[in-house]
């Protein structure tokens, strides 16, 4: 697969169905769809972006958040970062937040659903007197 050679740091993420990735806009320079179709929302921008496999966009602002969601069953996204402007602490914070939003939150939702299925709320049993 040919992808754009970014002159800055990149991270590739696989987004499953109904999964989103949220990052700080100040840390994201561009978004490229390596596979699948993506919906990209940038707070502070008046439009959403739809990125098809092989296409990329440049993020139009440096404040707020960038939220990326797969439109199909799954998608692979490459995030181009402003590596030179980020300190080590900022990189760690960005990565931690991305892991939290894309892995921990869906896992907790899944565990809650499993717990509800395994132990449904008690029902009232009425006995005749």
């Amino acid at each position: 697969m040919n992808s754009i050679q970014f002159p800055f740091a990149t991270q590739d993420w696989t987004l499953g169905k109904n999964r989103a990735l949220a990052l700080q806009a100040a840390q994201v320079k561009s978004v490229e769809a390596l596979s699948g179709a993506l919906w990209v929302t940038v707070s502070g921008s008046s439009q959403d972006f739809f990125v098809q496999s092989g296409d990329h966009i440049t993020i139009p602002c440096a404040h707020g958040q960038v939220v990326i969601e797969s439109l199909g069953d799954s998608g692979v996204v490459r995030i181009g970062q402003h590596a030179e402007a980020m300190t080590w602490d900022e990189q760690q914070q960005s990565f931690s937040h991305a892991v939290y939003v894309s892995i921990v939150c869906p896992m907790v939702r899944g565990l809650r659903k499993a717990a509800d299925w395994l132990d449904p709320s008690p029902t009232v049993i009425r006995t005749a007197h």
Side-chain angles (χ1 to χ4, degrees), residues 25-87:
Q27 299 169 343
V28 180
K29 183 169 179 73
S30 62
V31 173
E32 179 184 3
L34 297 179
S35 69
L38 305 172
W39 174 20
V40 182
T41 302
V42 182
S43 61
S45 176
S46 61
Q47 70 182 74
D48 288 349
F49 301 92
F50 298 94
V51 185
Q52 297 294 323
S53 182
D55 293 339
H56 77 281
I57 61 166
T58 300
I59 301 303
C61 60
H63 62 280
Q65 283 195 327
V66 176
V67 179
I68 305 161
E69 186 173 349
S70 177
L71 290 175
D73 289 335
S74 67
V76 179
V77 60
R78 173 165 289 162
I79 307 296
Q81 299 176 312
H82 291 283
E84 67 281 350
M86 291 174 62
T87 65

Side-chain angles (χ1 to χ4, degrees), residues 13 19-23 65 92-109 112:
W13 292 89
R19 299 289 187 250
L21 175 64
L23 299 167
Q65 283 195 327
Q92 292 299 102
Q93 223 173 22
S94 173
F95 180 77
S96 297
H97 181 71
V99 167
Y100 176 77
V101 169
S102 59
I103 296 173
V104 175
C105 288
M107 189 182 320
V108 169
R109 280 194 298 269
R112 285 183 182 153

